[in-house]
Each structure stands twice: as structure tokens, then as C-alpha cells.
């Protein structure tokens, strides 16, 4: 198992980024490595971080402005080679079809519910780390 995993968290709202960090904690599940968070508040920061590499999972806020996480997800899936899996934060359960359109691997509703969020994040980490192994 690698020593740690890097999770990019994109939201223009500092409170949403904090919800993500607190919900998953340092280790979202016992069988995944500890997590380090890289917070981004703008689309250029997200693209720069992904270009630099080393991101294991992206958590994107579908309610972010001006660049919403769904559009950002679709863009990075088109532009980033071997794009990390994406966990999309959606405003309503009815928006799940938009998460599918954006090509996100998983989606959870806001506000972040710790058990559901940590489980979804751990699943994506397991998948990503298995591919890299």
C-alpha cells in the first residue's frame, strides 16, 4: 500500500472544502492509505494541479461558481490523460443524471454526509490504487 493518497477538493466555498475534509478525515477506510487534501478554489488551480500529476481522486463541487464541478468534470475527462476518478458533490439527488453526463465515477449530495461520503471516497481510492499497482 502506498504511504498516502492525494485528494483534490474543488469548491469556491471554503465551508464545502472543510466539510469534505472533516467528513472523510485523515483515513476514509482502514484498507486505504491516509489522505492528504489539496484544496482548489478556481478552475485554473484544478487544471494546474492535474497537469502536475500525483492526484489520486478529485472531489468536485457541482454547485461551485463560476465553473461548476459537473462542467469541470467533463472537461478534465476530455483533457487529462489517465484522469483520476471523480466524486461529484451534487445539490439534489435528482441531479444524479447530470453527474452521469459529466462522466463522474460517483456522486453524493450536499451537505456532505460523513458515512456516505467516506465510503464513496474509499471506493474510488481502492479502484485508483488497484489500477496503479
Amino acid at each position: 500500500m502506498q504511504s498516502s493518497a492525494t485528494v483534490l477538493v474543488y469548491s469556491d466555498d471554503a465551508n464545502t472544502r472543510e466539510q469534505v475534509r472533516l467528513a472523510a478525515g485523515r483515513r476514509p477506510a482502514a484498507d486505504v492509505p491516509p489522505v492528504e487534501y489539496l484544496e482548489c478554489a478556481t478552475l485554473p488551480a484544478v487544471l494546474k494541479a492535474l497537469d502536475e500529476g500525483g492526484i489520486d481522486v478529485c472531489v468536485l463541487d457541482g454547485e461551485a461558481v463560476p465553473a461548476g464541478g459537473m462542467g469541470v468534470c467533463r472537461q478534465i475527462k476530455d483533457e487529462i490523460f489517465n484522469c483520476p476518478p471523480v466524486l461529484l458533490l451534487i445539490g439534489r439527488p435528482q441531479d444524479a443524471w447530470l453527474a452521469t453526463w459529466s462522466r463522474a465515477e460517483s456522486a453524493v449530495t450536499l451537505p456532505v454526509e460523513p458515512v456516505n461520503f467516506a465510503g464513496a471516497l474509499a471506493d474510488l481510492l481502492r479502484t485508483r490504487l488497484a489500477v496503479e499497482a
Side-chain angles (χ1 to χ4, degrees), residues 21-99:
R21 283 193 331 273
L22 294 175
R26 182 87 172 101
R27 192 173 212 151
D31 63 334
V32 298
V35 171
E36 295 178 13
Y37 296 97
L38 174 61
E39 294 185 37
C40 297
T42 65
L43 176 57
V46 170
L47 298 176
K48 181 176 187 276
L50 288 169
D51 281 341
E52 291 172 358
I55 305 298
D56 294 298
V57 173
C58 296
V59 176
L60 307 178
D61 179 1
E63 306 297 306
V65 289
M70 293 180 205
V72 171
C73 181
R74 192 157 174 100
Q75 178 179 348
I76 65 176
K77 292 295 183 178
D78 286 340
E79 296 178 1
I80 304 297
F81 175 73
N82 197 20
C83 184
V86 173
L87 174 53
L88 197 58
L89 305 175
I90 58 177
R92 312 171 305 151
Q94 299 89 327
D95 293 336
W97 72 272
L98 287 168

